[in-house]
Amino acid sequence: MENTVQLSQTLDQIISSEQLLAHWQGHRGLTRRLIEAYPEEHFFSYTLGGMRPCSALIDEVLQMADQSMQGVVSGQWSSIGEGSEASPKATTKEQVLAQWDRVTEVINTYWLQIPPARFQEVDKAFGLYEGPIYWFLFYLIDNEIHHRGQAYVYLRTLGVEPPAFWDRPQA
Amino acid sequence: MENTVQLSQTLDQIISSEQLLAHWQGHRGLTRRLIEAYPEEHFFSYTLGGMRPCSALIDEVLQMADQSMQGVVSGQWSSIGEGSEASPKATTKEQVLAQWDRVTEVINTYWLQIPPARFQEVDKAFGLYEGPIYWFLFYLIDNEIHHRGQAYVYLRTLGVEPPAFWDRPQA
């Protein structure tokens, strides 16, 4: 019977937990290459249309991932910004990339602790965003893609070729 | 035994087929609102940084979705562009929105025919993009988010407030 159960799970699984992690980290790897490609002298200041500079878009993405993972695993949420002493505002790209790499490890470490049933549990992230955990994780990923797409435009108007969007490893 | 199998599937399912469809259509609804918000006189011409105008970004997203669904379901892929007689190039926003709504129905209709095991099958979309079907569907969704994020910058530089990114119905 155990075999039957396992077979059914494999067949009907749209995507596994490990694949969703690899999907996210693939996107995060691309965002990292975008940060690397971004001219240092423009990263913290250049803007278009009254929007935030690339540094602020990246910081939002980074902080949200960093501060979400404990809550995703445990249901215990800090307030947004509360945990930010772990990541003081970076003032150089080198610091941003170091924070990025630290959060990559945070995600990998916590992810392995997410119980499979947790993805479908409804929770209120940071006491604010209510929905199933998979929905909240998609929000984190999609918000990163959204802001990175904006940073692509910044880069293009600066005359810099961004890294290829499709160049992400498959899960 | 059947009950046990079903219970296990529910518990270990990261996301169901229906939820992934709703997630995509939620994004497509937001993209539709972006098209509605975009000034007609700029939609087909305004660009930044040597990039394509909003109309071309949207057309790419629309055509890829339209031409992919048959292959996603059946493994029979046309060449990209082959099926495009179904959607001649739109020259007004009204035409774009009508095409958008037609493709919404195409996606809904084909999606119901995707066998659950199909999401993990490796295929070569359009004879070009090789990977599991879930990975290709994520590509379609992510590519839409990416280009829509770029269109947000266009809109902001035109002084137009884009629709709220987070305002998408939950699956």
Side-chain angles (χ1 to χ4, degrees):
Chain A
M1 186 169 112
E2 215 153 84
N3 277 348
T4 312
V5 173
Q6 285 217 314
L7 182 65
S8 294
Q9 285 173 18
T10 308
L11 286 177
D12 283 353
Q13 188 84 296
I14 302 303
I15 179 169
S16 71
S17 172
E18 293 76 17
Q19 287 170 331
L20 187 57
L21 171 62
H23 178 69
W24 189 9
Q25 294 289 23
H27 272 298
R28 295 187 77 261
L30 175 59
T31 304
R32 194 187 195 285
R33 292 200 296 284
L34 173 118
I35 300 168
E36 289 180 302
Y38 215 100
E40 177 97 32
E41 69 269 31
H42 294 300
F43 187 74
F44 296 91
S45 55
Y46 183 75
T47 67
L48 284 173
M51 296 174 65
R52 291 171 290 169
C54 190
S55 57
L57 303 178
I58 294 297
D59 192 57
E60 174 190 311
V61 166
L62 188 142
Q63 298 290 347
M64 279 196 76
D66 190 17
Q67 297 176 42
S68 293
M69 293 311 294
Q70 193 190 330
V72 164
V73 168
S74 69
Q76 304 297 315
W77 301 89
S78 56
S79 298
I80 289 185
E82 224 175 53
S84 62
E85 61 272 18
S87 294
K89 282 274 181 270
T91 55
T92 66
K93 265 184 29 173
E94 194 185 345
Q95 289 170 357
V96 174
L97 289 169
Q99 290 182 355
W100 196 262
D101 292 341
R102 184 183 61 72
V103 173
T104 299
E105 293 310 312
V106 168
I107 294 170
N108 284 340
T109 302
Y110 276 107
W111 195 279
L112 296 175
Q113 304 168 32
I114 306 176
R118 178 74 177 140
F119 289 92
Q120 288 289 335
E121 281 178 17
V122 173
D123 200 347
K124 208 181 219 177
F126 302 114
L128 290 172
Y129 309 104
E130 190 161 11
I133 289 294
Y134 85 80
W135 165 83
F136 179 68
L137 289 169
F138 274 14
Y139 185 87
L140 297 181
I141 299 169
D142 296 347
N143 192 51
E144 174 170 344
I145 300 168
H146 175 68
H147 284 315
R148 187 183 58 213
Q150 298 175 331
Y152 270 53
V153 184
Y154 291 12
L155 265 192
R156 288 277 185 196
T157 63
L158 288 166
V160 179
E161 171 101 10
F165 174 73
W166 47 260
D167 189 12
R168 288 170 280 118
Q170 271 178 45
Chain B
M1 186 169 116
E2 215 153 86
N3 278 347
T4 313
V5 173
Q6 284 218 316
L7 182 65
S8 294
Q9 285 173 16
T10 307
L11 287 178
D12 282 354
Q13 187 83 296
I14 302 302
I15 180 170
S16 71
S17 172
E18 295 75 15
Q19 287 171 331
L20 187 57
L21 171 61
H23 178 69
W24 189 9
Q25 293 290 21
H27 272 298
R28 295 187 77 260
L30 175 59
T31 305
R32 194 187 196 283
R33 293 200 295 286
L34 173 119
I35 299 167
E36 288 179 302
Y38 215 100
E40 178 98 32
E41 69 269 32
H42 295 299
F43 187 74
F44 296 91
S45 55
Y46 183 74
T47 68
L48 284 172
M51 297 174 65
R52 292 171 289 169
C54 190
S55 58
L57 303 177
I58 294 296
D59 192 57
E60 174 189 311
V61 167
L62 187 144
Q63 298 291 347
M64 279 196 76
D66 190 17
Q67 297 177 43
S68 293
M69 292 312 293
Q70 194 190 331
V72 164
V73 168
S74 68
Q76 303 297 313
W77 301 91
S78 57
S79 299
I80 290 186
E82 221 175 53
S84 62
E85 60 273 18
S87 294
K89 282 274 181 270
T91 55
T92 67
K93 267 184 29 174
E94 194 185 346
Q95 289 170 358
V96 174
L97 289 169
Q99 290 183 355
W100 196 262
D101 293 340
R102 183 183 60 72
V103 173
T104 299
E105 293 310 311
V106 167
I107 294 170
N108 284 340
T109 302
Y110 276 108
W111 195 279
L112 297 174
Q113 303 168 34
I114 307 176
R118 178 75 177 137
F119 288 92
Q120 290 288 336
E121 283 179 17
V122 172
D123 200 347
K124 208 181 220 180
F126 301 114
L128 291 171
Y129 309 104
E130 189 161 11
I133 288 294
Y134 84 82
W135 164 84
F136 180 67
L137 290 169
F138 273 13
Y139 185 87
L140 295 181
I141 299 170
D142 297 347
N143 192 51
E144 175 170 343
I145 300 168
H146 175 68
H147 285 316
R148 188 184 56 213
Q150 299 176 330
Y152 270 54
V153 184
Y154 291 11
L155 265 192
R156 289 277 186 196
T157 63
L158 288 167
V160 178
E161 169 102 12
F165 175 72
W166 46 262
D167 189 12
R168 288 171 279 118
Q170 272 178 44

